């Protein structure tokens, strides 16, 4: 695939190795957290119970609402916990305040939440449906909107100002900033940034070789090579990534699917050894509006279309080609944004309706609504809930 050479040169000219000056951690402690969206790789319905976590992103004080999940996928209220930080927003957001994927992630008993309004990240220990606040730490920049983790490495994407990525090391349950792991994206936004120019997601590839970042306004993705101790390469590889790339997830160790919210489509890319992204085939439209979030469950990939309040389903067929399974696998009627999966169930956060819907994913990729929980903050006056994860 052709690289955006001129754009890359312009962006790289504005890159710096270190972002804003360090802040002060508000508390100590912490631990590893990685939401592996391949978790639903098999269809296990009814094997066990779990929990679903929803970030309210309230400006006056961010909280996490916890729901118990039974073996049939149904949710019941189990509690609400303060993060110790403030919710935030991007300017001009149509219904998703943080304009991102991955603002709340779970892995192996720990939950990570961004506090966009106070430039911090909170780490909770999870015990069933109970949360124990372990740490609130500076995010390394302005307006954190997405988190990625794998092994003992955690990276936070900050959307405000120039935009930045900050790396953290996990050691004996403690989260600490990695020297030489703060990189500016050179986006030259304000704080808060405009919805359309804010970066959308950070993720670590399955081989832990690169940190990837999607940038909506620039139509490119950044790939930072990860050093031996988690430090990041001074400059990223910058690749074309379609029309307004937003959410992305891996379908294999070196292949990823990216939503193109400006083209109402999904594209597939190969991640090369040098960090370049090469497109595989053409973008595949779904006939819906503003596909932004993508979640894998088994062999299927589900896309939340915020503009049409629907969920589309995709798969990679036996010939290695990306195809639409159903343009409308579900009609949520509520402003669909972020999603999560647990034990073969798909949970969808609906921003304008102020609810979460849970769907059973059948072996043919079809969806069956099994639960709806109401009473969550609706998107109003430019801010609303965003962020969902599950155990």
């Amino acid at each position: 695939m052709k690289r955006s050479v001129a754009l890359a040169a312009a962006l790289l000219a504005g890159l710096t190795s270190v972002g804003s000056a360090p802040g002060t951690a508000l508390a100590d402690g912490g631990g590893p957290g990685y939401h592996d969206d391949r978790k639903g790789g098999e269809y296990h319905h009814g094997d066990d119970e779990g929990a679903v976590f929803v970030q309210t992103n309230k400006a006056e004080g961010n909280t996490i609402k916890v729901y118990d999940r039974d073996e049939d996928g149904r949710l019941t209220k189990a509690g609400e916990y303060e993060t110790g930080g403030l919710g935030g927003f991007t300017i001009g957001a149509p219904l998703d305040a943080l304009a991102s994927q991955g603002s709340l992630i779970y892995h192996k008993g720990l939950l990570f939440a961004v506090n966009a309004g106070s430039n911090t990240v909170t780490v909770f220990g999870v015990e069933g449906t109970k949360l124990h606040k372990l740490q609130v730490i500076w995010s390394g920049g302005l307006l954190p909107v997405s988190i990625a983790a794998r092994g003992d490495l955690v990276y936070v994407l900050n959307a405000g100002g120039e935009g930045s990525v900050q790396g953290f090391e996990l050691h004996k349950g403690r989260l600490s900033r990695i020297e030489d792991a703060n990189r500016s994206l050179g986006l030259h936004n304000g704080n808060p940034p405009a919805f359309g120019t804010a970066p959308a997601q950070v993720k670590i590839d399955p081989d832990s070789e690169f940190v990837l970042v999607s940038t909506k306004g620039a139509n490119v993705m950044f790939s930072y090579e990860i050093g031996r101790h988690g430090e990041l390469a001074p400059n990223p590889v910058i690749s074309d990534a379609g029309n307004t790339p937003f959410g992305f997830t891996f379908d294999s160790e070196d292949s990823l699917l990216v939503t193109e919210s400006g083209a109402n489509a999904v594209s597939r890319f190969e991640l090369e050894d040098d960090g370049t992204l090469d497109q595989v085939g053409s973008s595949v439209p779904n006939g819906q509006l503003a596909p932004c979030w993508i979640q894998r469950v088994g062999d299927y990939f589900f896309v939340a279309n915020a503009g049409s309040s629907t969920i589309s389903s995709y798969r990679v067929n036996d010939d290695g080609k990306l195809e639409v399974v159903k343009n409308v696998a579900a009609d949520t009627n509520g402003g669909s944004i972020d999603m999560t999966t647990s034990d073969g169930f798909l949970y969808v956060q609906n921003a304008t309706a102020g609810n979460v819907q849970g769907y059973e994913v059948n072996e043919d990729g079809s969806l069956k609504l099994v639960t709806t929980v109401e009473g969550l903050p609706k998107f109003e006056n430019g801010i609303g809930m965003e962020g969902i994860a599950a155990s």
Side-chain angles (χ1 to χ4, degrees), residues 42-50 69-72 343-345:
E42 299 179 13
Y43 304 96
H44 292 304
H45 306 307
D47 284 0
D48 53 26
E49 300 177 354
R69 175 183 63 79
D70 69 17
E71 60 184 13
D72 296 318
D343 197 33
F345 297 99

Side-chain angles (χ1 to χ4, degrees), residues 85-155:
L86 306 177
F89 59 91
T90 56
I91 296 174
L95 52 81
D96 52 316
L98 300 181
S100 67
Q101 178 167 301
S103 60
L104 185 69
I105 63 171
Y106 170 87
H107 181 60
K108 293 183 178 179
L110 291 159
L111 189 69
F112 283 59
V114 302
N115 300 305
S118 50
N119 307 324
T120 58
V121 171
T122 300
V123 184
F124 290 99
V126 179
E127 185 179 351
T129 57
K130 296 184 182 298
L131 301 184
H132 307 281
K133 187 161 56 182
L134 303 176
Q135 182 181 32
V136 182
I137 190 169
W138 181 57
S139 68
L142 303 173
L143 201 85
V145 296
S146 181
I147 308 171
R150 191 177 290 277
D152 61 353
L153 297 176
V154 173
Y155 295 90

Side-chain angles (χ1 to χ4, degrees), residues 59 62 68 70 88 98-99 117 146 192 202 225-226 304 321 334 344 357 378:
N62 190 18
D68 179 69
D70 69 17
L98 300 181
S146 181
V202 63
E225 187 173 8
I226 301 173
K321 294 182 179 180
Q357 294 175 325
K378 295 181 180 181

